[in-house]
Amino acid sequence: MRQNMIRNRTADQQAGILAALGDLLRSQEVRTRLISHITLRMTGLPVWDPAVSELDIYGLGGQVATVTIDQKHKPCRFLIKLPKSGTVVPLSTVDQPQSTVRWIAGWANGRTR
């Protein structure tokens, strides 16, 4: 079976990073849900399959954000998208998730950054 690639990280690596971020957030009493979208194509040619993982964040009033990984820039960063406004905010690098956890936990629980 061919492995899906997203730039320099596989889809499984991206999902694993977001799952670990979700675990860290849950330890801070933030509700999360990991979603992986993988599109399979039946073809004999090598194709870049779209594969995306998202971490939904829930706060006091339901879903408040979606976290993804920005694969287009180096270093790779977490991106948080606010569903009501569509605003996308870049957060810390994937290799340094501590400030992302603090920011999201404070924000989702109604505290300031």
Side-chain angles (χ1 to χ4, degrees):
M1 187 168 140
R2 188 166 47 87
Q3 203 173 31
N4 292 319
M5 295 293 292
I6 302 175
R7 299 269 180 195
N8 294 328
R9 297 199 189 268
T10 65
D12 289 340
Q13 287 174 321
Q14 183 187 32
I17 290 167
L18 289 174
L21 179 64
D23 289 344
L24 291 170
L25 288 167
R26 281 190 297 281
S27 74
Q28 299 293 312
E29 299 180 5
V30 175
R31 293 182 300 135
T32 65
R33 178 177 67 158
L34 179 66
I35 301 171
S36 293
H37 305 281
I38 298 175
T39 302
L40 300 175
R41 296 184 194 183
M42 300 302 291
T43 181
L45 302 173
V47 176
W48 291 86
D49 293 325
V52 176
S53 293
E54 300 174 335
L55 184 67
D56 289 341
I57 308 296
Y58 297 89
L60 302 174
Q63 182 183 355
V64 293
T66 299
V67 178
T68 58
I69 297 176
D70 177 10
Q71 296 292 327
K72 296 178 184 173
H73 301 96
K74 296 295 176 191
C76 294
R77 301 174 70 82
F78 290 109
L79 297 176
I80 186 168
K81 182 178 180 181
L82 309 178
K84 290 184 180 177
S85 66
T87 303
V88 177
V89 180
L91 299 175
S92 65
T93 65
V94 169
D95 297 330
Q96 301 289 327
Q98 300 86 351
S99 63
T100 295
V101 170
R102 283 192 301 276
W103 194 91
I104 293 173
W107 182 73
N109 289 321
R111 298 185 304 267
T112 58
R113 293 202 278 177

